[in-house]
Amino acid sequence: MKIRRILATAVAAAVTTPVVFLSAAPAFADTKPSSASTQKPAQGEEDPEDDKPPTRDELEAAVALAQEAYDDAVVAVAGAKEALKGFDKADHPLKKAIADAEKAAVEAAAAKEAADKALVKAQDEEKALPGDATPEQKQAAAAAVAAAGTAAEAAAAAKTAADAKVTETGTAFTDARVAASRAVTLAQEARKTASRKLDDAKEELAFYEDMEGPASRTRPCGSP
């Protein structure tokens, strides 16, 4: 990893620089800094500042942030699983909607059946009129048939709508359950990613501490 490379380079420099500097002191005394050392890197080249190693505080802050993200991911997984379990409960809103729709469909079917029977009865009564029935009797029978037919059509439409509602609520329940299951999967994947990032952050901090130990032991006595 880049941080490890930077740290390793920095620590190695901390270990070797005092020796190299002391041995090369006379040469440096007679040499002026070259203009190249003060020039900024050309476009496309890496800026030495980019290789500045992170501090302990920065690494510890990274671990803290990664830990917070992981904790949030754990909570998200638990919440997603709880939401999925809710679909198995009888009091789930969508299950209740299905039950209500099914009840309405049964009632609509019964109403349609009754309306159909009423229509058949009205038609039979119209046919049973005697040949000497008065115009008023014929008109009343025809009106009864028309009214029964209208009621039968309305009952059929209500049954169709009720059946469609059952299908609609069933589909909504299925779709919602699939989405809840998918949410669990996504939350678990996010938790894995957060866990991996937390491990990486901890590993970088541990690597820093491992590299810092040898460097500190090679410092001259009394040095800061």
Side-chain angles (χ1 to χ4, degrees):
M1 294 184 180
K2 184 177 180 181
I3 293 178
R4 293 187 186 180
R5 176 175 60 79
I6 294 172
L7 287 174
T9 302
V11 173
V15 174
T16 59
T17 297
V19 177
V20 173
F21 181 79
L22 291 174
S23 62
F28 284 127
D30 297 332
T31 306
K32 294 183 180 180
S34 64
S35 58
S37 62
T38 60
Q39 293 179 351
K40 294 183 178 179
Q43 186 175 1
E45 296 181 359
E46 291 187 3
D47 191 332
E49 290 295 325
D50 293 338
D51 284 343
K52 183 179 179 181
T55 64
R56 174 185 289 274
D57 289 342
E58 290 173 341
L59 292 174
E60 289 178 346
V63 171
L65 288 175
Q67 182 67 59
E68 182 179 353
Y70 175 75
D71 293 341
D72 290 343
V74 170
V75 173
V77 170
K81 286 184 175 181
E82 188 64 26
L84 181 59
K85 288 180 181 179
F87 285 87
D88 297 328
K89 299 179 181 179
D91 61 349
H92 191 281
L94 289 177
K95 270 195 172 182
K96 187 177 183 302
I98 291 174
D100 292 344
E102 290 175 342
K103 180 181 178 182
V106 171
E107 293 173 351
K112 181 182 182 302
E113 184 179 357
D116 289 342
K117 288 180 179 180
L119 175 60
V120 171
K121 181 181 179 181
Q123 290 171 338
D124 289 343
E125 289 177 349
E126 183 181 31
K127 292 177 182 178
L129 286 175
D132 58 350
T134 64
E136 289 77 9
Q137 290 175 322
K138 292 179 179 180
Q139 185 177 0
V145 170
T150 300
E153 289 177 359
K159 182 181 183 303
T160 299
D163 290 342
K165 190 65 175 178
V166 171
T167 300
E168 178 185 339
T169 53
T171 300
F173 177 85
T174 300
D175 290 347
R177 197 178 191 288
V178 169
S181 178
R182 177 60 176 164
V184 171
T185 300
L186 291 175
Q188 290 174 332
E189 291 176 354
R191 183 182 61 184
K192 289 180 181 178
T193 299
S195 177
R196 184 173 62 253
K197 290 183 177 180
L198 176 59
D199 290 342
D200 288 345
K202 288 180 177 179
E203 193 174 345
E204 294 296 346
L205 177 59
F207 182 80
Y208 177 93
E209 292 172 342
D210 289 343
M211 297 299 294
E212 186 182 44
S216 63
R217 287 195 298 270
T218 58
R219 294 174 183 171
C221 294
S223 62

